[in-house]
Amino acid sequence: MYTSETALRAFREARHAFIAGSRIDMGALAADLGVDRTSLFRWVGNRDRLLSEVLWSLAVPTLDAARRDAAGSGAARLVDVLAQFTADLIEAPYFRGFLQREPARALRLLTTTDSDVQSRFVHAVTELVAAEQASGAFDPGPLSAEELARLLVRISESFTYADLISGETPDPARARAAFEYVLR
């Protein structure tokens, strides 16, 4: 995350534009901030880096809310968290707008192993699995917590981005069914 006030200001402007359904344009953002593009890039990195930070900044509260609202423990809790998070992504208009405006960039930023967003999501799900394992309510075996997290993230991606991957309609109910099937 950004630490300087100028970088935070640029990030906030970009996040606001993203939520409003606008494409983040680095030239327009620099002009709005009254700086040149070089300064903006020095503060926040390139457009992909800024988009990744914006996307993750929106994912964190969504994932936190899913954790707070989840019922039960063990596999049932994991299903609740992941199904709710996936449903929230599928239903978020600003997120769907981004996927429709920039499908190739979205898939690259969200689903590749080089993606900061995906690695953070895998880490968060690994922590969820590990917490349930530590409580004694769940055993991910024969997989490690991280291996299971990678699988669960791929399931989430498969249903969240179904329209881009396979031409199917993203379906939160089918995502929940898939999580239940894998975690039964």
Side-chain angles (χ1 to χ4, degrees):
M1 189 53 154
Y2 305 112
T3 55
S4 75
E5 186 55 41
T6 49
L8 282 172
R9 190 169 145 227
F11 166 78
R12 286 185 196 114
E13 292 278 334
R15 189 174 191 267
H16 178 74
F18 186 87
I19 291 170
S22 300
R23 181 182 185 279
I24 295 175
D25 179 301
M26 298 297 274
L29 181 58
D32 288 347
L33 295 169
V35 300
D36 60 33
R37 287 172 51 99
T38 304
S39 295
L40 179 62
F41 277 76
R42 189 173 45 252
W43 296 337
V44 299
N46 64 23
R47 183 168 181 268
D48 284 354
R49 166 76 196 234
L50 180 57
L51 272 167
S52 292
E53 290 300 325
V54 167
L55 289 162
W56 187 246
S57 78
L58 296 167
V60 168
T62 305
L63 190 55
D64 288 348
R67 282 186 194 129
R68 278 191 310 276
D69 296 344
S73 63
R77 178 170 174 73
L78 294 171
V79 167
D80 274 359
V81 171
L82 294 167
Q84 185 59 54
F85 179 75
T86 301
D88 288 345
L89 288 181
I90 289 170
E91 295 164 4
Y94 58 83
F95 191 68
R96 299 298 334 154
F98 172 59
L99 296 176
Q100 291 169 354
R101 272 191 321 275
E102 302 183 63
R105 174 171 269 126
L107 287 176
R108 183 171 41 80
L109 293 178
L110 295 164
T111 67
T112 62
T113 55
D114 294 333
S115 161
D116 286 340
V117 177
Q118 188 194 63
S119 65
R120 289 171 175 175
F121 188 26
V122 168
H123 179 75
V125 175
T126 300
E127 287 180 340
L128 284 171
V129 172
E132 293 305 308
Q133 184 178 17
S135 76
F138 182 73
D139 180 6
L143 301 176
S144 69
E146 183 178 355
E147 290 168 332
L148 180 58
R150 287 190 185 287
L151 175 61
L152 296 171
V153 165
R154 283 298 186 191
I155 291 169
S156 177
E157 292 169 349
S158 295
F159 287 94
T160 303
Y161 315 121
D163 49 344
L164 303 179
I165 295 170
S166 63
E168 296 179 19
T169 302
D171 185 346
R174 290 186 60 218
R176 176 176 281 281
F179 290 129
E180 288 172 343
Y181 182 79
V182 169
L183 292 169
R184 64 185 170 160

